[in-house]
Amino acid sequence: MQTTRCKLDPLQQSDLKYMQRIYSSHEVRKYLGGVVPEEYHLNKFLDALERSSTKESNIWTVRLKENNDFIGVVSLDNHTDGRFKEISYEFLPQSWGSGYAAEVVGQLLMYALHELKLGKVIAETQTANTASCRLLEKVGMRLEHKLQRYGAEQALYSFNDHSGLFD
């Protein structure tokens, strides 16, 4: 899968060193429970790799087309409630503010609705993560409700095939 400026490749064993950059970044992990201790990097990565090898979960690395630089990871996985697929994303700080995340998440929404034929896709983020909330609204997702989970207020966004955005 690709966008105008990025390419998405399925997560592979050789991506551990890139994922460690995500796991170790205080900025990236600020609203995700904090930095993952180094001794858990391998287990967290192997869990993601195993999940991505099933039909239930898709995890992609995101790289710039122009130079193949790793800038983040996106996934389409079962949400905690088990009813819908959830889009999630983690981008390295040096790529923030350039529109890459919106480009990739928007493409992932099109893929979920048109290729996978999902009727509804959701995303959950902390309400304190205002940049993530803005991103989800920018790609056409709508705030459904707020809830307390993981020790913080969360915003649950949704996008469904009735939005008309990609018709």
Side-chain angles (χ1 to χ4, degrees), residues 25-30 71 90-101 131:
S25 171
H26 290 278
E27 297 94 342
V28 173
R29 302 288 308 167
K30 180 177 181 179
I71 61 169
E90 297 173 70
F91 284 81
L92 293 173
Q94 59 265 30
S95 70
W96 295 357
S98 58
Y100 296 125

PDB file of all heavy atoms in Angstrom, residues 25-30 71 90-101 131:
ATOM      1  N   SER A  25      10.666   6.392  22.465  1.00  0.00           N
ATOM      2  CA  SER A  25      10.441   7.825  22.331  1.00  0.00           C
ATOM      3  C   SER A  25       9.446   8.343  23.367  1.00  0.00           C
ATOM      4  O   SER A  25       8.284   7.942  23.384  1.00  0.00           O
ATOM      5  CB  SER A  25       9.917   8.145  20.925  1.00  0.00           C
ATOM      6  OG  SER A  25       9.512   9.494  20.846  1.00  0.00           O
ATOM      7  N   HIS A  26       9.918   9.260  24.204  1.00  0.00           N
ATOM      8  CA  HIS A  26       9.041   9.865  25.212  1.00  0.00           C
ATOM      9  C   HIS A  26       7.906  10.639  24.550  1.00  0.00           C
ATOM     10  O   HIS A  26       6.770  10.609  25.025  1.00  0.00           O
ATOM     11  CB  HIS A  26       9.836  10.799  26.137  1.00  0.00           C
ATOM     12  CG  HIS A  26      10.773  10.069  27.038  1.00  0.00           C
ATOM     13  ND1 HIS A  26      10.360   9.482  28.210  1.00  0.00           N
ATOM     14  CD2 HIS A  26      12.096   9.809  26.920  1.00  0.00           C
ATOM     15  CE1 HIS A  26      11.396   8.895  28.792  1.00  0.00           C
ATOM     16  NE2 HIS A  26      12.462   9.071  28.022  1.00  0.00           N
ATOM     17  N   GLU A  27       8.211  11.331  23.444  1.00  0.00           N
ATOM     18  CA  GLU A  27       7.180  12.109  22.754  1.00  0.00           C
ATOM     19  C   GLU A  27       6.104  11.208  22.160  1.00  0.00           C
ATOM     20  O   GLU A  27       4.913  11.478  22.293  1.00  0.00           O
ATOM     21  CB  GLU A  27       7.793  12.972  21.638  1.00  0.00           C
ATOM     22  CG  GLU A  27       8.757  14.017  22.109  1.00  0.00           C
ATOM     23  CD  GLU A  27      10.215  13.539  22.083  1.00  0.00           C
ATOM     24  OE1 GLU A  27      10.456  12.322  22.021  1.00  0.00           O
ATOM     25  OE2 GLU A  27      11.092  14.392  22.137  1.00  0.00           O
ATOM     26  N   VAL A  28       6.518  10.150  21.486  1.00  0.00           N
ATOM     27  CA  VAL A  28       5.561   9.236  20.853  1.00  0.00           C
ATOM     28  C   VAL A  28       4.712   8.534  21.905  1.00  0.00           C
ATOM     29  O   VAL A  28       3.502   8.388  21.756  1.00  0.00           O
ATOM     30  CB  VAL A  28       6.289   8.180  19.977  1.00  0.00           C
ATOM     31  CG1 VAL A  28       5.324   7.124  19.467  1.00  0.00           C
ATOM     32  CG2 VAL A  28       7.012   8.852  18.812  1.00  0.00           C
ATOM     33  N   ARG A  29       5.334   8.111  22.972  1.00  0.00           N
ATOM     34  CA  ARG A  29       4.660   7.280  23.977  1.00  0.00           C
ATOM     35  C   ARG A  29       3.974   8.087  25.082  1.00  0.00           C
ATOM     36  O   ARG A  29       3.407   7.516  26.000  1.00  0.00           O
ATOM     37  CB  ARG A  29       5.664   6.308  24.592  1.00  0.00           C
ATOM     38  CG  ARG A  29       6.356   5.373  23.599  1.00  0.00           C
ATOM     39  CD  ARG A  29       5.496   4.301  23.041  1.00  0.00           C
ATOM     40  NE  ARG A  29       4.851   3.579  24.123  1.00  0.00           N
ATOM     41  CZ  ARG A  29       3.842   2.737  23.965  1.00  0.00           C
ATOM     42  NH1 ARG A  29       3.358   2.498  22.795  1.00  0.00           N
ATOM     43  NH2 ARG A  29       3.311   2.133  25.000  1.00  0.00           N
ATOM     44  N   LYS A  30       3.989   9.410  24.977  1.00  0.00           N
ATOM     45  CA  LYS A  30       3.440  10.276  26.017  1.00  0.00           C
ATOM     46  C   LYS A  30       1.998   9.923  26.373  1.00  0.00           C
ATOM     47  O   LYS A  30       1.618   9.908  27.544  1.00  0.00           O
ATOM     48  CB  LYS A  30       3.518  11.736  25.570  1.00  0.00           C
ATOM     49  CG  LYS A  30       2.976  12.717  26.587  1.00  0.00           C
ATOM     50  CD  LYS A  30       3.158  14.150  26.116  1.00  0.00           C
ATOM     51  CE  LYS A  30       2.644  15.116  27.160  1.00  0.00           C
ATOM     52  NZ  LYS A  30       2.833  16.515  26.722  1.00  0.00           N
ATOM     53  N   ILE A  71       9.386   6.312   9.316  1.00  0.00           N
ATOM     54  CA  ILE A  71       8.814   7.433  10.062  1.00  0.00           C
ATOM     55  C   ILE A  71       7.725   7.011  11.040  1.00  0.00           C
ATOM     56  O   ILE A  71       7.286   7.814  11.854  1.00  0.00           O
ATOM     57  CB  ILE A  71       8.283   8.550   9.137  1.00  0.00           C
ATOM     58  CG1 ILE A  71       7.164   8.027   8.224  1.00  0.00           C
ATOM     59  CG2 ILE A  71       9.419   9.177   8.345  1.00  0.00           C
ATOM     60  CD1 ILE A  71       6.418   9.142   7.491  1.00  0.00           C
ATOM     61  N   GLU A  90       1.570   5.456  15.231  1.00  0.00           N
ATOM     62  CA  GLU A  90       2.644   6.059  16.013  1.00  0.00           C
ATOM     63  C   GLU A  90       3.690   6.534  15.018  1.00  0.00           C
ATOM     64  O   GLU A  90       4.243   5.730  14.271  1.00  0.00           O
ATOM     65  CB  GLU A  90       3.255   5.039  16.986  1.00  0.00           C
ATOM     66  CG  GLU A  90       2.283   4.533  18.037  1.00  0.00           C
ATOM     67  CD  GLU A  90       2.869   3.417  18.871  1.00  0.00           C
ATOM     68  OE1 GLU A  90       3.788   3.697  19.667  1.00  0.00           O
ATOM     69  OE2 GLU A  90       2.416   2.270  18.713  1.00  0.00           O
ATOM     70  N   PHE A  91       3.915   7.841  14.982  1.00  0.00           N
ATOM     71  CA  PHE A  91       4.893   8.427  14.076  1.00  0.00           C
ATOM     72  C   PHE A  91       6.017   9.078  14.876  1.00  0.00           C
ATOM     73  O   PHE A  91       5.766   9.656  15.932  1.00  0.00           O
ATOM     74  CB  PHE A  91       4.227   9.474  13.167  1.00  0.00           C
ATOM     75  CG  PHE A  91       3.420   8.872  12.054  1.00  0.00           C
ATOM     76  CD1 PHE A  91       2.136   8.405  12.267  1.00  0.00           C
ATOM     77  CD2 PHE A  91       3.962   8.756  10.782  1.00  0.00           C
ATOM     78  CE1 PHE A  91       1.394   7.833  11.252  1.00  0.00           C
ATOM     79  CE2 PHE A  91       3.234   8.188   9.755  1.00  0.00           C
ATOM     80  CZ  PHE A  91       1.944   7.728   9.980  1.00  0.00           C
ATOM     81  N   LEU A  92       7.227   8.983  14.360  1.00  0.00           N
ATOM     82  CA  LEU A  92       8.374   9.602  15.019  1.00  0.00           C
ATOM     83  C   LEU A  92       8.240  11.125  14.970  1.00  0.00           C
ATOM     84  O   LEU A  92       7.742  11.682  13.980  1.00  0.00           O
ATOM     85  CB  LEU A  92       9.675   9.163  14.347  1.00  0.00           C
ATOM     86  CG  LEU A  92      10.020   7.680  14.520  1.00  0.00           C
ATOM     87  CD1 LEU A  92      11.229   7.311  13.665  1.00  0.00           C
ATOM     88  CD2 LEU A  92      10.294   7.355  15.988  1.00  0.00           C
ATOM     89  N   PRO A  93       8.668  11.806  16.024  1.00  0.00           N
ATOM     90  CA  PRO A  93       8.489  13.262  16.118  1.00  0.00           C
ATOM     91  C   PRO A  93       9.031  14.059  14.925  1.00  0.00           C
ATOM     92  O   PRO A  93       8.442  15.066  14.546  1.00  0.00           O
ATOM     93  CB  PRO A  93       9.226  13.636  17.402  1.00  0.00           C
ATOM     94  CG  PRO A  93       9.173  12.396  18.225  1.00  0.00           C
ATOM     95  CD  PRO A  93       9.261  11.259  17.244  1.00  0.00           C
ATOM     96  N   GLN A  94      10.127  13.604  14.313  1.00  0.00           N
ATOM     97  CA  GLN A  94      10.687  14.372  13.193  1.00  0.00           C
ATOM     98  C   GLN A  94       9.748  14.408  11.989  1.00  0.00           C
ATOM     99  O   GLN A  94       9.920  15.244  11.107  1.00  0.00           O
ATOM    100  CB  GLN A  94      12.075  13.872  12.788  1.00  0.00           C
ATOM    101  CG  GLN A  94      12.141  12.431  12.370  1.00  0.00           C
ATOM    102  CD  GLN A  94      12.525  11.491  13.488  1.00  0.00           C
ATOM    103  OE1 GLN A  94      12.237  11.731  14.658  1.00  0.00           O
ATOM    104  NE2 GLN A  94      13.177  10.405  13.145  1.00  0.00           N
ATOM    105  N   SER A  95       8.730  13.551  11.963  1.00  0.00           N
ATOM    106  CA  SER A  95       7.769  13.571  10.847  1.00  0.00           C
ATOM    107  C   SER A  95       6.496  14.343  11.189  1.00  0.00           C
ATOM    108  O   SER A  95       5.654  14.555  10.325  1.00  0.00           O
ATOM    109  CB  SER A  95       7.413  12.136  10.433  1.00  0.00           C
ATOM    110  OG  SER A  95       6.640  11.506  11.435  1.00  0.00           O
ATOM    111  N   TRP A  96       6.354  14.773  12.431  1.00  0.00           N
ATOM    112  CA  TRP A  96       5.152  15.483  12.857  1.00  0.00           C
ATOM    113  C   TRP A  96       5.029  16.821  12.139  1.00  0.00           C
ATOM    114  O   TRP A  96       6.019  17.488  11.853  1.00  0.00           O
ATOM    115  CB  TRP A  96       5.165  15.724  14.355  1.00  0.00           C
ATOM    116  CG  TRP A  96       5.102  14.475  15.202  1.00  0.00           C
ATOM    117  CD1 TRP A  96       4.987  13.186  14.767  1.00  0.00           C
ATOM    118  CD2 TRP A  96       5.179  14.407  16.626  1.00  0.00           C
ATOM    119  NE1 TRP A  96       4.988  12.322  15.841  1.00  0.00           N
ATOM    120  CE2 TRP A  96       5.099  13.044  16.986  1.00  0.00           C
ATOM    121  CE3 TRP A  96       5.307  15.360  17.614  1.00  0.00           C
ATOM    122  CZ2 TRP A  96       5.138  12.625  18.304  1.00  0.00           C
ATOM    123  CZ3 TRP A  96       5.353  14.942  18.930  1.00  0.00           C
ATOM    124  CH2 TRP A  96       5.258  13.584  19.268  1.00  0.00           C
ATOM    125  N   GLY A  97       3.803  17.222  11.876  1.00  0.00           N
ATOM    126  CA  GLY A  97       3.537  18.524  11.279  1.00  0.00           C
ATOM    127  C   GLY A  97       3.704  18.579   9.771  1.00  0.00           C
ATOM    128  O   GLY A  97       3.525  19.634   9.170  1.00  0.00           O
ATOM    129  N   SER A  98       4.018  17.464   9.152  1.00  0.00           N
ATOM    130  CA  SER A  98       4.251  17.447   7.709  1.00  0.00           C
ATOM    131  C   SER A  98       3.085  16.849   6.923  1.00  0.00           C
ATOM    132  O   SER A  98       3.144  16.785   5.697  1.00  0.00           O
ATOM    133  CB  SER A  98       5.527  16.661   7.408  1.00  0.00           C
ATOM    134  OG  SER A  98       5.388  15.346   7.919  1.00  0.00           O
ATOM    135  N   GLY A  99       2.062  16.385   7.628  1.00  0.00           N
ATOM    136  CA  GLY A  99       0.899  15.809   6.957  1.00  0.00           C
ATOM    137  C   GLY A  99       1.015  14.338   6.612  1.00  0.00           C
ATOM    138  O   GLY A  99       0.086  13.760   6.051  1.00  0.00           O
ATOM    139  N   TYR A 100       2.137  13.713   6.952  1.00  0.00           N
ATOM    140  CA  TYR A 100       2.304  12.291   6.634  1.00  0.00           C
ATOM    141  C   TYR A 100       1.257  11.429   7.333  1.00  0.00           C
ATOM    142  O   TYR A 100       0.680  10.521   6.730  1.00  0.00           O
ATOM    143  CB  TYR A 100       3.693  11.788   7.033  1.00  0.00           C
ATOM    144  CG  TYR A 100       4.836  12.413   6.282  1.00  0.00           C
ATOM    145  CD1 TYR A 100       5.879  13.020   6.972  1.00  0.00           C
ATOM    146  CD2 TYR A 100       4.893  12.388   4.884  1.00  0.00           C
ATOM    147  CE1 TYR A 100       6.947  13.587   6.299  1.00  0.00           C
ATOM    148  CE2 TYR A 100       5.957  12.959   4.204  1.00  0.00           C
ATOM    149  CZ  TYR A 100       6.979  13.559   4.914  1.00  0.00           C
ATOM    150  OH  TYR A 100       8.029  14.121   4.253  1.00  0.00           O
ATOM    151  N   ALA A 101       1.016  11.688   8.606  1.00  0.00           N
ATOM    152  CA  ALA A 101       0.067  10.861   9.362  1.00  0.00           C
ATOM    153  C   ALA A 101      -1.335  10.964   8.768  1.00  0.00           C
ATOM    154  O   ALA A 101      -2.011   9.951   8.589  1.00  0.00           O
ATOM    155  CB  ALA A 101       0.074  11.253  10.833  1.00  0.00           C
ATOM    156  N   ALA A 131      -3.446  16.872  19.257  1.00  0.00           N
ATOM    157  CA  ALA A 131      -2.960  16.710  17.880  1.00  0.00           C
ATOM    158  C   ALA A 131      -3.573  15.466  17.240  1.00  0.00           C
ATOM    159  O   ALA A 131      -3.972  15.486  16.076  1.00  0.00           O
ATOM    160  CB  ALA A 131      -1.436  16.626  17.857  1.00  0.00           C
TER     161      ALA A 131
END
